[in-house]
Each structure stands twice: as C-alpha cells, then as structure tokens.
Amino acid sequence: MSNAQIEIQLIASLVAIACAIPGTFLVLRKMAMISDAISHSILPGIVVGFFITHDLGSPLLILLATLAGVVTVVLVEYIQKTGLVKEDTAIGLVFPALFSIGVILIKKNADDIHLDVDAVLLGELAYAPFDRLFVSGVDLGPKSLWIVGAILLITIVLLVAFFKELKLSTFDKGLAASLGFSPVIIHYGLMTVSSITTVGAFDAVGAILVVALMIAPAATAYLLTTDLKKMLFLSIAFGIFSAISGYWFAHWLDASIAGSITTMLGVLFLLVYLFAPNKGVIAVLYREKQQRTEVSLLTFLLHLKNHDEERERHVNHLNEHINWQKVRSKTVLELALKNNMIIIDNNIVSLTSKGDEFTTQAIDYIITNEDAQIEDMKDDFFLFRG
Amino acid sequence: MDIQEYFSLVFSDYTLRTITLGTAILGAVTGMLGSFAVLRKQSLLGDAISHAALPGIAISFLITGAKDSNTLLLGALVSGLIGTFWIRGIITKTHLKSDTALGLILSLFFGFGMLLLTFIQKQPNANQAGLDKYLFGQAATLVESDVWMMAIVTGICLFVLLLFWKEFKILLFDKDYAKTLGFNTKTIDILITSFIVLAIVLGLQTVGVVLMSAMLLAPAAAARQWTNSLATMVFLAALFGAFSGVFGTAISASQNNLSTGPVIVLVAAVFVFVSFIFSPSRGLLFKQIRFIKNRRDLQLHKTLAFMYNIAETHDDISHPHEIKILNNFQGFTKGTLKKLVEKDYVTLQGSTWSLTNEGFKSASNLYNQLTKNDE
C-alpha cells in the first residue's frame, strides 16, 4: 500500500464518520431528504466562493457554501409554513432552483473558472492526496484530510456536549421543549452541522456520496438496533467498512471511488434489509406467515370448542367447510398436534385439556377486547411456533 | 441571437423547432403527471426515481453497446421501476420512514450508476462518450424521432388518464372509500406510479437526472395555487410546464453557454414564485391584503363600539364629544373616523364628534349581527 492509498482510505473513513453522526439524527428525525437538498443547493455557494477565492479549500468558500445550505433549510421551512404546498414539495422546489442557479453560474463563466459540476457532484477522491497543505515548507499531508478532520472534531465535540439534548429532542420534542431545551436551536444546530459536513466532504467525495454516507449507514443500523448509542456506533462502523472496501473495489475495477463506496453501502443495506434478524424483509415475511398460521390455529381451536358433533370435528371437514387449502389445514393440524392441543382419533379431532384451557383463555381475551394479550399467552402455551 | 430572432427562427429552423417542440411536450406531460405526484404527497419520489434511473442507462449501454436513446431509456425505465418498488418495499416492510427510503434509493442507485459510468469510460470503446449527458441533460441532442417518441407517450398517458379519470381522482382523495367501492386500488396505484416513472425517464435526455424532479413538481405546485379542481389543475400544470419548456429553450438559445435544463427549471421556478404571491385565493399577496383589510374592519368596529359605549350614557345620542377622548383608547385612527363619517355613522364638527341615529343603531347591533357586512 502506498502512502497515497493510505491517505485516501483515511480521508474516506473520516468522511464516513463525520457523515454518519449527523446522518443518524437526520434519519431518526425523518429529515433524510433535507440532506439531499442541502447537498445540491450548496452549489451556488461554492461557485460564488470560488469566484472570490479561486481555491476549493478556502474557509470563505466553506462558509458561503454552508450558508447556502442553511438558506435552503430556512427557505424550505418558510414555504412549508405558508401552507401553500405540502412539506416535501417545498424541498423539491427549492433545491433544483438553487442548483440550477449554480449550474448556470458555472456555465456562464466556464472560461474563467476551472470548476466542473461533475466534480462537485461526484468529487474525485483519487486526487485528494495531491492537494497538500504546506506550512512554512513542511508537508503536513493532504488538505482535505485536515478539513475533514477539523469538521469531524467539531461534530464529535458537539455530539458529546449536546448528546442528551439531541437525544431528547429527537424522541420527544414536547418534553424537550417543556424542559427548556429550545427545539429550534437544536434543529438549526443539526442543520448547520449537516451543511458543514456536506460542504467539507463534497470536495473529497462529492455531494451525492455525502448523502449516501449520511443516510445509508444510519438506515442500515436502524434496521439492526433501536438503541441510539448502538445505532451511532453501528453506522460509523458501516461507514468505515464501506469506505475501505469501496476503495479497494474501485481500485480493482479502476472506476470512481465515490461510486464504489456508495455501491458498497448499497450492498450492505441490501444484505441487512433482507437478513436483519428482526426487521429484515425475510424475518418480517416469516413472522407474517407464522402469525397467519397461528391465527388459523386459534380459529380452528375455537371451532372445536364450539362443536361436539363428530361431523364438525372430522379432519376432512377443514377442507370441505372451513374452506382451507390442503397444505394449510395440514400445517395447522400439525402445529396443534405438536403443541399437544388436540388429539386425533380415527380422523376425529378433539381438544386436549391443554387446548381447552388455551381456547378458554383466548376467548376471554377476545371478549374483553384485549387481543394483544394473546401474543403473551402464546409464549406460555406454545412449545413450537407456527 | 436574441429572443426576437429566436421566435422568428423557431418555425423555420429544424433544430430549434425540434428542441422547442420536445421541451414543450415534455413540460406538458410532466406537469400533467406531476399534479398527481404532488397531490399524492409523493413529490420527492420523482427525485428518487430520476436518480435511480441512472444505473439502468449504464447497464443497458453495457449490454447493447449502442447509444440508441430508446434502448437506454428502456433501461432507465426498468431501473426506475425497480427503485420505485424497492422504496415501497422499504416503507411497507420495515419501520424506516418514507424520506429515509427515498434518500437511500436515490443516493445508492445514483452512486452505483456513477460507478458504472466511470467504469464504462475506462473501456476501450470509442462509442461511450456522451453518456454523461443524462446527468444534466442536453436538449440540443434531441432529434425528431425523440420528439415523436415523447408525443406518442404523452398521447398514451392522456388517453389512459381520461379513461381512468374517475378512478385516479377517487384514489387521490379518498383511498379507503375507493377500496370499499370495489376499485382495485393497488392496480390503479401502480398505474399512476408507472406513468410518473415513464414521464421522468422521458425527460432524462432533455433535463437530466439531477433536475428532472423539478420539472415534475414546479408546474404542478404552481397550478395548485390557482384552482381547487383537479381537472383545472392538471390542465394548468400542463400549460405551465409547456410554457416553461418553450421559454426556457428560448432563453437558453438566445445566449451562449446556457444549458437548457437549468434554464427551464428556473423558468418553472418563476412560475411557482409568481403563483405563490399573486394567486387570488391562496397567494401570499392577497392573503396579506385580506389580513390587513380584516384588521381595519376590526378597528372600525372597535371605534364604533367605543363611541357607542360613550353615547349610551347620554340621553341624546347625538351629543357631541371631543375627538381627544378617543385618543386615550386604542383603535382610533384618522382613517377609521373618516370612514365612519362616509357611512353616515358619525358627524364631525370641528374637534368634536357625535353619533348619528343610524350609527347608534348599527353599533348596538354590532355584536348581534356578525354576518352583516359593514364595508
């Protein structure tokens, strides 16, 4: 591994951490699309800053671009407040307009400035190590490393200092306000941090990757845990993992590093989306199927309790009169047998004492409208689940 | 070339005519379908879909190796639809909220698309240049067959829209009711969403991935301000969209170095801005005017009520009083006093005022007949 390669991976990992922290809160506060809007509308700020300074790394440019990001948030909120359009429409109206202004500014002055819209949107991480910071002749490493590092430091300090307030206002706005934490200040603070992070990172990784790095690790982590601290650590870990694996994937493919990191994030999300233990799609589908079977079982048991006549309790009766498919009646019967709820004697089904007890309790809960209790009851009675 | 020249050339010059027609049709169809997106609160879906279409373009180029815009757009359509249904899957099957789902699909698909595009650029294939026009769009690359394609798709959209108008409308405003009436809401839902995806994909070549969502939203958001009827809104949105297309093309053609896509978006944004401010019923300007007028009315009532309270204590209601004593109370301005005189509620003599009979009557009924218009 050469020096430049290590530096690229370091920058990518730092950006991933710096994005994951505000990203977690954005996802929890249902404001993920705001980050997309900010990432686009910082463009005019960058262009104007570049006119003035001719340096993509200058503090003035970062300030102007951050300002553009905050202006976006304010504009969106103003339009929302007028009530003329629904909230998400406001986002969709503001950022394309600002982005268009940025594009036009670039195109009109294409001769004077060496600024490419593609570069802003996509960044080029591979060139980051070549833009180095020299202080009195001493090479201190890549400039973007310093910028991203500084932003990360600020973010971490703010996170540690205001963790309690952030947590409270994210999960219970009303309580936070009544305890005296101004939700407005926390909201705009978070928005400002998001803007600064976006601006600081775009140079290295591009605006779109910033969005991906903010939302994807947090969303992935959210599928695995509901604990805020764990979610923060998981999303940071996912961010770093995709940053480094993405770098090597791009190295192997000889393609855009930003695109490849995003792809890694996508693969990671897809895997978790499918296989997460409790909230993954497969787990959800399995649980839905289980519940369907268990509801059928309950229906069947209730039917048995209501009928003493043998005709109604015959195994074939399930198919003929309750209109269940063969497979379904078979699964339900098997489940009931496995749980010792019924006995089958000469194709006539009858309840065991355990089945009878279960059904009686279930009826009680259903009559008193406490259906939710049945779930707990299942844990007591069931040896095997559906 | 200035704008005048543009309009004289637009009918004779082939390129200009094609581009203008193309952007006009595009604006009309996106405005039309955008109305549904906006009313269904799916405004940002367009943004997500247009970004999600990028890998489709790259993959269909990798498979066919040709730059035929129709096959590329077919790829975009497929990947846009995959993105849309994945978003729905995330929202329905997990506890992630819709904004997270949109942002996820948007950025992940776009990043993957960029990976593929940079990968293609490194391929030893001379044919690959120009794929990045789908990023920001290049209206100048429109040819007549593209415009025909747009026109046909618009025709189909319009036909289906008219055919299922009732179903679309009821789904839009009362989904549960539509379900109880026996409409297959899922199918209608998929139909609308697919059409929105189709409209977005059509616009990719002209406006590009990044700005396409604005084409969908802006005309519809502008049209929404002028009407409460769905049919009028769809029609107005189509009109606004078409005009944005034409004006945008005209402005960008009359200047150097001005890409069409962003200009069209800005023109559409101007439409939105004007509508937000000047729309008679919802606009901010008239709202403010109504607000001020209401406040004046209230002030007038307040002064009259105060005068009534004073006059009540005297046997002769027309007994003159000093204007000065009104000063101790809020609600008195020269304007309101003058207005009261105009209405014959009050007569002024020098520095005194006195209530007329009519003024006394209406003042005593002030809070009994709130419906009566005093203006």
Side-chain angles (χ1 to χ4, degrees):
Chain A
M1 240 192 305
S2 75
N3 226 359
Q5 283 179 322
I6 294 173
E7 278 169 1
I8 291 175
Q9 290 175 57
L10 197 60
I11 295 173
S13 307
L14 287 186
V15 171
I17 302 171
C19 289
I21 293 171
T24 304
F25 289 100
L26 287 179
V27 166
L28 287 174
R29 288 163 160 254
K30 296 166 204 147
M31 297 193 308
M33 282 310 275
I34 279 278
S35 70
D36 178 49
I38 291 176
S39 72
H40 284 84
S41 53
I42 55 171
L43 186 66
I46 292 171
V47 177
V48 173
F50 195 78
F51 283 159
I52 301 171
T53 62
H54 289 273
D55 174 17
L56 270 182
S58 86
L60 180 70
L61 180 136
I62 292 180
L63 191 76
L64 278 173
T66 308
L67 201 69
V70 176
V71 164
T72 314
V73 177
V74 173
L75 259 179
V76 166
E77 270 160 18
Y78 176 73
I79 295 180
Q80 282 176 8
K81 226 175 263 168
T82 61
L84 292 173
V85 286
K86 304 265 162 36
E87 29 197 308
D88 54 342
T89 313
I91 300 178
L93 287 174
V94 170
F95 82 82
L98 286 171
F99 188 77
S100 299
I101 293 175
V103 173
I104 289 173
L105 279 177
I106 291 182
K107 288 275 156 86
K108 283 305 275 180
N109 300 282
D111 304 336
D112 307 335
I113 57 170
H114 301 283
L115 187 62
D116 203 354
V117 189
D118 295 24
V120 174
L121 224 49
L122 311 167
E124 196 35 271
L125 205 49
Y127 299 143
F130 301 120
D131 189 12
R132 303 192 80 86
L133 184 70
F134 289 100
V135 174
S136 56
V138 185
D139 182 4
L140 288 177
K143 233 182 200 169
S144 31
L145 189 64
W146 284 98
I147 298 175
V148 174
I151 290 170
L152 178 61
L153 198 69
I154 298 172
T155 313
I156 290 178
V157 167
L158 285 174
L159 176 74
V160 173
F162 296 107
F163 184 73
K164 186 180 64 212
E165 286 82 353
L166 264 172
K167 188 175 177 178
L168 193 58
S169 76
T170 302
F171 294 109
D172 196 337
K173 233 182 204 165
L175 180 63
S178 62
L179 287 178
F181 305 127
S182 161
V184 179
I185 294 179
I186 295 174
H187 173 74
Y188 279 104
L190 183 63
M191 289 293 114
T192 314
V193 170
S194 310
S195 295
I196 296 178
T197 312
T198 312
V199 174
F202 92 90
D203 182 25
V205 298
I208 294 294
L209 178 56
V210 177
V211 180
L213 275 175
M214 279 196 180
I215 303 175
T220 314
Y222 198 18
L223 287 178
L224 292 171
T225 178
T226 45
D227 179 298
L228 178 60
K229 271 186 193 148
K230 267 190 207 148
M231 187 175 161
L232 272 170
F233 283 121
L234 270 179
S235 45
I236 289 173
F238 287 146
I240 297 177
F241 170 76
S242 5
I244 293 174
S245 61
Y247 171 75
W248 288 106
F249 185 53
H251 187 72
W252 172 70
L253 211 60
D254 192 17
S256 147
I257 298 174
S260 139
I261 293 177
T262 320
T263 309
M264 280 299 153
L265 285 169
V267 172
L268 210 59
F269 174 74
L270 182 64
L271 288 179
V272 173
Y273 172 71
L274 290 178
F275 301 113
N278 277 320
K279 289 154 186 163
V281 167
I282 291 176
V284 167
L285 287 179
Y286 178 74
R287 202 162 49 234
E288 278 175 3
K289 187 174 156 265
Q290 190 185 36
Q291 272 166 350
R292 249 197 316 270
T293 318
E294 285 175 4
V295 168
S296 304
L297 172 68
L298 189 60
T299 325
F300 175 54
L301 291 180
L302 289 174
H303 177 78
L304 283 182
K305 197 171 162 58
N306 281 338
H307 292 282
D308 287 331
E309 42 301 32
E310 293 199 343
R311 194 167 49 84
E312 292 279 343
R313 293 192 285 133
H314 197 272
V315 171
N316 289 339
H317 177 75
L318 286 177
N319 299 5
E320 286 159 13
H321 289 103
I322 313 189
N323 251 344
W324 282 350
Q325 302 293 322
K326 264 218 169 89
V327 185
R328 181 133 164 220
S329 12
K330 214 175 136 203
T331 18
V332 171
L333 275 179
E334 267 170 18
L335 181 66
L337 270 179
K338 263 200 284 191
N339 283 317
N340 299 331
M341 301 249 184
I342 53 167
I343 38 171
I344 303 179
D345 184 22
N346 206 6
N347 273 346
I348 303 294
V349 190
S350 22
L351 285 174
T352 60
S353 57
K354 185 187 168 197
D356 193 58
E357 197 189 336
F358 175 77
T359 321
T360 319
Q361 278 196 30
I363 292 177
D364 280 349
Y365 284 132
I366 292 172
I367 308 176
T368 50
N369 237 348
E370 287 178 62
D371 298 11
Q373 300 276 358
I374 294 178
E375 275 307 310
D376 302 335
M377 204 174 72
K378 281 179 186 168
D379 291 335
D380 301 338
F381 279 90
F382 280 14
L383 301 166
F384 301 92
R385 301 296 295 252
Chain B
M1 179 164 61
D2 57 21
I3 291 194
Q4 244 173 357
E5 206 178 332
Y6 164 82
F7 278 107
S8 60
L9 271 176
V10 76
F11 296 104
S12 56
D13 185 85
Y14 168 80
T15 319
L16 272 185
R17 194 178 54 213
T18 314
I19 297 172
T20 311
L21 217 58
T23 50
I25 292 176
L26 177 70
V29 67
T30 50
M32 210 160 72
L33 293 167
S35 307
F36 290 93
V38 167
L39 290 175
R40 283 156 59 90
K41 294 177 204 160
Q42 288 182 332
S43 305
L44 293 173
L45 187 67
D47 194 30
I49 295 170
S50 60
H51 284 74
L54 191 63
I57 293 174
I59 289 175
S60 72
F61 176 77
L62 276 175
I63 293 173
T64 62
K67 248 189 338 187
D68 173 44
S69 62
N70 288 348
T71 46
L72 292 186
L73 290 184
L74 195 67
L77 186 67
V78 172
S79 108
L81 283 173
I82 293 175
T84 317
F85 289 110
W86 195 0
I87 290 173
R88 293 163 69 104
I90 292 175
I91 297 173
T92 52
K93 291 286 176 230
T94 72
H95 62 301
L96 295 177
K97 295 291 176 296
S98 65
D99 64 305
T100 312
L102 289 169
L104 261 175
I105 297 304
L106 180 156
S107 55
L108 295 181
F109 271 62
F110 188 75
F112 181 53
M114 282 322 298
L115 177 76
L116 291 175
L117 280 190
T118 48
F119 177 71
I120 289 170
Q121 269 163 19
K122 301 273 165 65
Q123 298 292 303
N125 181 349
N127 200 15
Q128 30 83 356
L131 274 187
D132 53 344
K133 80 175 177 200
Y134 288 100
L135 273 186
F136 300 106
Q138 257 177 359
T141 59
L142 281 178
V143 289
E144 213 172 273
S145 65
D146 294 330
V147 177
W148 274 114
M149 174 87 182
M150 281 184 194
I152 291 169
V153 173
T154 310
I156 296 173
C157 282
L158 199 63
F159 178 71
V160 175
L161 206 64
L162 290 175
L163 199 65
F164 292 109
W165 180 257
K166 187 178 65 209
E167 284 83 355
F168 282 164
K169 194 169 173 178
I170 194 165
L171 183 75
L172 210 53
F173 294 111
D174 201 336
K175 199 173 178 175
D176 296 330
Y177 183 52
K179 228 179 209 165
T180 59
L181 284 183
F183 287 114
N184 189 344
T185 49
K186 217 170 183 177
T187 315
I188 309 172
D189 207 40
I190 291 175
L191 200 63
I192 297 189
T193 315
S194 308
F195 272 121
I196 293 175
V197 177
L198 194 64
I200 288 167
V201 167
L202 270 185
L204 290 183
Q205 196 184 356
T206 318
V207 189
V209 165
V210 184
L211 292 173
M212 195 49 221
S213 66
M215 285 299 289
L216 205 63
L217 287 192
R224 174 71 189 88
Q225 309 310 320
W226 299 93
T227 175
N228 282 328
S229 130
L230 179 66
T232 324
M233 175 173 166
V234 171
F235 177 73
L236 270 181
L239 206 67
F240 286 158
F243 272 116
S244 315
V246 174
F247 287 144
T249 314
I251 294 170
S252 81
S254 58
Q255 302 250 339
N256 286 329
N257 280 334
L258 217 50
S259 17
T260 317
V263 179
I264 295 179
V265 169
L266 278 186
V267 173
V270 171
F271 271 111
V272 175
F273 185 71
V274 170
S275 306
F276 273 8
I277 292 182
F278 296 107
S279 134
S281 59
R282 297 164 61 103
L284 294 177
L285 181 70
F286 288 96
K287 219 187 232 169
Q288 190 65 31
I289 291 176
R290 268 198 304 276
F291 179 71
I292 293 171
K293 218 183 93 190
N294 281 343
R295 203 163 49 190
R296 286 227 184 101
D297 275 0
L298 268 180
Q299 246 165 20
L300 197 86
H301 286 166
K302 216 164 144 192
T303 315
L304 196 63
F306 178 64
M307 290 169 164
Y308 171 73
N309 283 341
I310 296 174
E312 219 180 13
T313 57
H314 296 269
D315 294 336
D316 174 20
I317 54 160
S318 295
H319 181 78
H321 298 276
E322 286 288 317
I323 288 181
K324 253 190 245 159
I325 61 167
L326 292 175
N327 262 344
N328 298 333
F329 298 84
Q330 280 170 353
F332 158 73
T333 62
K334 266 197 180 124
T336 50
L337 212 54
K338 219 179 246 166
K339 246 187 194 157
L340 288 172
V341 174
E342 273 168 25
K343 286 187 178 179
D344 263 348
Y345 286 174
V346 164
T347 50
L348 287 183
Q349 278 171 346
S351 64
T352 63
W353 60 267
S354 54
L355 219 49
T356 62
N357 270 330
E358 199 185 336
F360 187 78
K361 221 165 50 193
S362 73
S364 62
N365 286 328
L366 204 56
Y367 297 111
N368 302 333
Q369 302 180 338
L370 284 174
T371 44
K372 195 180 139 208
N373 196 357
D374 269 308
E375 265 307 281

